[in-house]
Amino acid sequence: RAGVAAPAAAAAPPPPTTEAARATSSLAAPLAPALSIARGLSIRAPGGNGWVPVQRAISAAAGLPPGEEAPPPPPLALSPRQRARMAHLSDATLPTGGFAHSGGLEAASQLGLLGGGDEAVRRFTRAATHSTATLLAPFAAGACSLFSSPVGKEGPSPAQWREWEALDTALHAQLSANGPARRASAEQGRALSRVGAVWLRQEAAARDLCAAFGDRGANPNRAPHGATMLGALCALLGLPPQVAAEVIAYTTARDVLSAAVRLNLVGPLAAVEMQADVAEEAAAAAAVAAQRGVANAASSAPLLEAMHPCHDLLDRRIFRT
């Protein structure tokens, strides 16, 4: 509305370069004071009481007094083999296609909604990582729990398949309003199914199961979503559900900051410090969200959710989404 000023930025962002971008930027700017990325860690409270910090909502759902945080899960006790597999699953050399996506950062930058300076990138990364973790971690952990028992030569039972497909379909519905995020999830899910089939090629049942996941997803091309495929792969690798949740948080922060470096929004050394700052906090949020289950899965950055689909309107773009 008239008279509502956009928040001051550390440095003036570049002006939008297309008519669609300028229109979207001018429409979104008045919302910034109430729904800014800096305050992105908020969700709609049950009962229609407005936007509240996500940690307060988690505490309320857990029956804790106002201001008291939900306790994090206990530390994981992993064997050396499990630690190595977790590290490999999180490694940048794993060809899952994560670096082809910016998580909405490119759109935010071109639309003039990011702001300037390192702190703007830090705020965006924190909001994007936290929002992705609280939405996807419950699905990854749920899929991991489904296949936690060793899979025999006959493969999963029909009931297991139905439950996994229901998880994938529910996640597809959650992502339906955000076309770029949905495409990125499907592309990474398909890539993970191929990675798993090669990684576990010495274990025939697990190898064939990874290949089968690639044809059972909820997307039109039957690709599974990244979170549900990651959870299933973690189970086949002998990793617990909490690992699946924490890998989601870590790789999201890593990919967003990699995009920031490639967009020349932040230097590579500054990105190292930001990732250390953001990823640990997001991993804890992901672990708590995973404990709360799929019924409470939700994103927590409304302005980011609004701007991410605008990526498809950009005339010039480096990233797929």
Side-chain angles (χ1 to χ4, degrees):
R1 294 183 180 180
V4 180
T17 56
T18 68
E19 288 298 328
R22 282 193 289 272
T24 306
S25 180
S26 63
L27 290 171
L31 300 176
L35 300 178
S36 69
I37 295 172
R39 296 176 57 197
L41 306 186
S42 300
I43 62 174
R44 177 67 73 180
N49 295 322
W51 295 97
V52 300
V54 70
Q55 185 58 60
R56 193 190 310 165
I58 291 174
S59 298
L64 299 172
E68 185 174 340
E69 295 186 354
L76 286 173
L78 301 177
S79 69
R81 186 186 193 207
Q82 287 176 314
R83 286 198 297 271
R85 287 188 161 187
M86 180 181 180
H88 193 28
L89 197 59
S90 306
D91 194 84
T93 60
L94 205 69
T96 59
F99 294 118
H101 307 280
S102 73
L105 179 64
E106 188 170 25
S109 176
Q110 288 202 34
L111 293 174
L113 296 173
L114 179 64
D118 287 3
E119 283 308 305
V121 175
R122 186 190 302 272
R123 289 195 302 269
F124 182 96
T125 304
R126 176 173 282 114
T129 303
H130 196 292
S131 183
T132 300
T134 55
L135 172 61
L136 299 186
F139 288 96
C144 186
S145 298
L146 272 179
F147 299 99
S148 56
S149 300
V151 177
K153 292 182 179 180
E154 67 281 359
S157 68
Q160 283 178 304
W161 275 126
R162 284 194 299 271
E163 289 187 57
W164 181 84
E165 289 172 350
L167 277 178
D168 200 64
T169 300
L171 179 53
H172 187 77
Q174 286 267 21
L175 295 172
S176 290
N178 189 337
R182 188 179 67 246
R183 292 199 310 272
S185 178
E187 289 175 12
Q188 291 178 76
R190 177 79 80 187
L192 274 170
S193 70
R194 293 195 297 265
V195 165
V198 174
W199 190 341
L200 298 168
R201 65 183 182 277
Q202 302 299 330
E203 304 171 29
R207 178 198 63 211
D208 295 344
L209 181 55
C210 282
F213 278 117
D215 295 318
R216 286 180 173 264
N219 286 283
N221 63 356
R222 304 303 293 164
H225 280 288
T228 46
M229 185 62 230
L230 174 66
L233 181 56
C234 281
L236 296 176
L237 291 169
L239 298 172
Q242 189 177 330
V243 166
E246 293 183 6
V247 167
I248 287 280
Y250 174 82
T251 54
T252 300
R254 179 200 69 190
D255 294 349
V256 170
L257 285 169
S258 172
V261 172
R262 292 166 66 187
L263 289 167
N264 201 30
L265 298 173
V266 70
L269 293 179
V272 171
E273 186 272 330
M274 288 183 196
Q275 183 166 336
D277 177 35
V278 170
E280 183 177 351
E281 174 187 311
V288 172
Q291 289 183 318
R292 297 177 63 224
V294 171
N296 293 303
S299 57
S300 60
L303 183 56
L304 192 155
E305 291 292 313
M307 72 174 69
H308 196 176
C310 297
H311 187 276
D312 290 342
L313 302 176
L314 305 178
D315 281 345
R316 299 187 304 274
R317 46 184 183 258
I318 298 174
F319 297 94
R320 291 179 59 83
T321 69

